[in-house]
Amino acid sequence: MRIIYLNDFNCPYSYIGLNRVKNAVCELNLDVEWEMKSFELEPNARNFSAADRFAFKNGLSCEDAKKEIDEMEKIAQNDGLQINYQNLIINSSKDAHRMAKYVQNNYPELSQELIFKIFESNFTKNEDISNHDVLISIAASCGLDEDEMGQMLKGGSLKIEVELDMDEAISNGITTTPYYFIEHNDERLLIPGVFEKESFKIAFEDLINGEMNRKTFI
């Protein structure tokens, strides 16, 4: 099975969704090839208050936004994730995407570990994932070479590839994250958004058993 997914490191639902997909895959003991595609929701972000941004983008008062954020944080906690979105400061995720793509291309066996650690750095520790020192530290914790990661980030490689991922998604009518393409043999399942882990498991089982034919959740 191959799972291609569009994520942004500034999207809490990308974190929650990927965690549920991973757990569904583990519980079904599936052999999966993973590929993350980049989709920056806030490409120009620089020290944005996540809470204020959430309220603005959803047309909510600060009080109503806080209630929705509290609920989202509780959902994450029930899934075993610690998310502190209320105090998050949003910065550009472009360099985090570049590093994730570099590792995916060159060290695929470490890719998923790195991606989850970037999410944790941003949402749990509220670290600045646009800061190269933060990103290099995350990479080092996965066993990657600090000098190699530093040179890659400094050189600006894969910036175009990150932008092309988003351009491709938008050209296919995708405007937000997360989004999943599940491929098995000649079948493909499209899943936009976050579903419960059990729903992901049922979808995977149906796909494997041949009970779907180009089925979509859209």
Side-chain angles (χ1 to χ4, degrees):
M1 181 178 288
R2 187 166 184 243
I3 299 179
I4 305 167
Y5 58 97
L6 277 76
N7 265 6
D8 183 36
F9 292 114
N10 281 321
C11 173
Y13 297 106
S14 289
Y15 190 18
I16 293 169
L18 184 60
N19 186 62
R20 289 179 178 178
V21 170
K22 180 198 73 172
N23 288 336
V25 165
C26 289
E27 290 181 16
L28 293 173
N29 196 27
L30 300 178
D31 183 15
V32 168
E33 176 187 347
W34 300 89
E35 180 183 356
M36 190 183 92
K37 297 269 191 181
S38 304
F39 195 105
E40 292 182 89
L41 294 174
E42 299 282 1
N44 300 312
R46 190 63 190 166
N47 294 325
F48 289 179
S49 162
D52 290 347
R53 192 67 174 163
F54 185 90
F56 174 77
K57 292 182 75 172
N58 292 283
L60 300 171
S61 67
C62 291
E63 182 179 353
D64 288 340
K66 185 179 186 307
K67 289 178 182 178
E68 291 203 14
I69 290 171
D70 286 344
E71 182 62 28
M72 180 263 291
E73 291 177 348
K74 288 177 184 176
I75 290 170
Q77 189 171 22
N78 289 337
D79 284 358
L81 301 176
Q82 296 297 321
I83 289 181
N84 179 15
Y85 196 75
Q86 189 69 49
N87 297 316
L88 176 67
I89 301 299
I90 300 175
N91 284 289
S92 170
S93 60
K94 186 180 296 294
D95 286 342
H97 279 292
R98 290 199 300 116
M99 187 171 76
K101 190 171 286 291
Y102 180 86
V103 172
Q104 185 168 260
N105 291 345
N106 294 279
Y107 307 99
E109 71 281 3
L110 299 175
S111 176
Q112 289 299 103
E113 179 185 359
L114 177 83
I115 287 165
F116 273 99
K117 284 189 174 182
I118 295 172
F119 275 125
E120 181 184 14
S121 172
N122 196 28
F123 290 120
T124 303
K125 300 177 182 178
N126 290 160
E127 295 176 326
D128 178 3
I129 60 168
S130 71
N131 184 295
H132 287 187
D133 289 338
V134 170
L135 293 175
I136 292 167
S137 177
I138 295 169
S141 73
C142 297
L144 292 156
D145 184 79
E146 293 186 23
D147 291 338
E148 180 182 359
M149 294 299 107
Q151 288 299 315
M152 183 279 298
L153 290 167
K154 183 178 179 181
S157 64
L158 296 173
K159 179 180 178 180
I160 293 176
E161 287 81 354
V162 166
E163 293 171 351
L164 286 174
D165 276 356
M166 187 166 180
D167 289 344
E168 180 185 15
I170 292 173
S171 70
N172 286 311
I174 299 170
T175 58
T176 190
T177 60
Y179 204 103
Y180 308 91
F181 300 83
I182 318 298
E183 298 177 349
H184 180 70
N185 295 332
D186 294 327
E187 304 288 340
R188 171 180 259 200
L189 173 65
L190 311 181
I191 307 179
V194 178
F195 289 81
E196 295 294 333
K197 179 188 67 178
E198 292 303 316
S199 296
F200 282 120
K201 287 176 66 175
I202 291 169
F204 294 160
E205 289 175 322
D206 286 348
L207 192 60
I208 292 168
N209 295 332
E211 296 179 14
M212 292 183 182
N213 184 19
R214 301 290 176 181
K215 184 177 177 182
T216 175
F217 276 48
I218 298 176

